[in-house]
Amino acid sequence: MLGIGVQTQNAVTDDNPFIGFERLKKAGFTNCDFSLNGYLKNTNLYQNELNQFFNQSTEELCEYFRPHKEAAKANGIGINQMHMPYPAYIPTAKDEVNEYLWEKMIPKSM
């Protein structure tokens, strides 16, 4: 069955994901593209700026996002895909930026 989906970026927040998923449901959405791009912004990457979000272990990231998963389920919103941060390679970036993208961000986003 097909549904109607939308990205969660700027709609679902970390401080209270239930409210965001509730709004999506009330707006008629049935599924979402869970957006990770806010956790490592491309505007920062192009400036060779990294944060440490994806340095967390897989277990820590799963725990971090548990409230999102539970809120989506409680509101009947399916998470049908994930939108990892982008880009995955920056030709002009320092090596440490691209290494972080390849070794931390990409595998942990998957």
Side-chain angles (χ1 to χ4, degrees), residues 3-89:
I4 300 171
V6 68
Q7 282 195 13
T8 58
Q9 182 75 23
N10 299 321
V12 176
T13 61
D14 291 340
D15 61 334
N16 192 340
F18 186 89
I19 291 173
F21 283 108
E22 183 178 54
R23 287 182 184 145
L24 295 182
K25 185 67 172 181
K26 287 180 181 178
F29 294 104
T30 56
N31 53 50
C32 70
D33 171 351
F34 192 84
S35 302
L36 295 175
N37 32 332
Y39 298 97
L40 185 61
K41 296 183 178 184
N42 62 3
T43 52
N44 294 71
L45 291 173
Y46 291 126
Q47 300 298 316
N48 286 303
E49 296 172 6
L50 292 173
N51 64 39
Q52 302 303 310
F53 186 79
F54 289 99
N55 278 342
Q56 296 179 75
S57 70
T58 302
E59 293 77 20
E60 289 170 317
L61 289 168
C62 286
E63 189 59 34
Y64 184 89
F65 289 116
R66 182 182 310 283
H68 295 79
K69 181 179 177 180
E70 292 171 354
K73 185 175 181 178
N75 283 287
I77 301 290
I79 298 174
N80 63 332
Q81 68 181 37
M82 302 281 286
H83 191 102
M84 84 167 96
Y86 57 90
Y89 175 75

